[in-house]
Amino acid sequence: MSQVITQGTALHGPAAAPAHGPTSAVLPHAPARGSAAGPGARHAARGALRRFVTAVAVVSAALATVSAAPAAASATPTTPLGPTASARGEDRLTVTVSGMGSGVDGTYEVTCRPGRGSHPDPEGACAAVERNTGWGRDAFAPPRQDAMCTMQYGGPATAHVTGSWAGRPVEATYDRRNGCAIDRWDALVPLLPAAGSGTGSATGSATPW
């Protein structure tokens, strides 16, 4: 019985302390490690923070410079170039008319934006072509072959238009032999002379082009 008690005392006495040694050894060294590394870690953290703040300042300055550039560019007055000036170039047409009578028959030049040339009404001529031009619409398209046209005769007048419009070459012929041809001609008045213009026309009267 005394032997058991002796062993028990050995287990729970000072000799048993090594069993708890690893736990006791870690606890006293933790503060020592913290106190030794603390100043260096704080110094490194402060250095990293200064570098970060400097980098942010540099990036912010660069972004401010980039943002200011478009504003300065927009503030600079410029002369706008519309699609007609930059993409279409110059629209120039030559119109040759015959069969309308004296004072109208002849060849005429017209240049648009602004309208000018030997044509009697260059501005009106340009406007007539412009209103017949659009997406899917060709002002100088040939007549449809399958169109149903009235048997209406508009006289012997003919017209030939050449040149360029909307960046495309123009080569078109007009007459007034039936209702479809008359409608196609009239759509381009005053690029083409109106019916009754000149003397010796189908109506025998002289009217301004």
Side-chain angles (χ1 to χ4, degrees), residues 37-75:
R42 287 194 295 271
H43 180 74
R46 284 195 296 269
L49 180 59
R50 284 194 297 269
R51 290 192 295 272
F52 175 75
V53 171
T54 302
V56 170
V58 171
V59 172
S60 299
L63 291 176
T65 302
V66 172
S67 300
S74 61

Side-chain angles (χ1 to χ4, degrees), residues 12 25 113 177:
H12 296 283
R113 286 176 304 278
R177 60 186 172 182

Side-chain angles (χ1 to χ4, degrees), residues 76-166:
T76 303
T78 57
T79 302
L81 291 177
T84 55
S86 61
R88 286 176 55 165
E90 187 176 64
D91 294 332
R92 182 187 298 271
L93 300 171
T94 300
V95 183
T96 301
V97 179
S98 61
M100 290 293 290
S102 62
V104 177
D105 290 353
T107 298
Y108 307 91
E109 302 282 344
V110 59
T111 302
C112 300
R113 286 176 304 278
R116 61 194 185 277
S118 60
H119 191 282
D121 184 5
E123 289 287 354
C126 294
V129 182
E130 193 71 55
R131 68 172 175 261
N132 285 279
T133 302
W135 291 109
R137 295 180 61 195
D138 181 1
F140 303 100
R144 292 176 49 185
Q145 298 298 318
D146 60 347
M148 300 293 292
C149 305
T150 60
M151 300 300 294
Q152 179 183 0
Y153 181 65
T158 61
H160 186 215
V161 181
T162 59
S164 63
W165 182 265

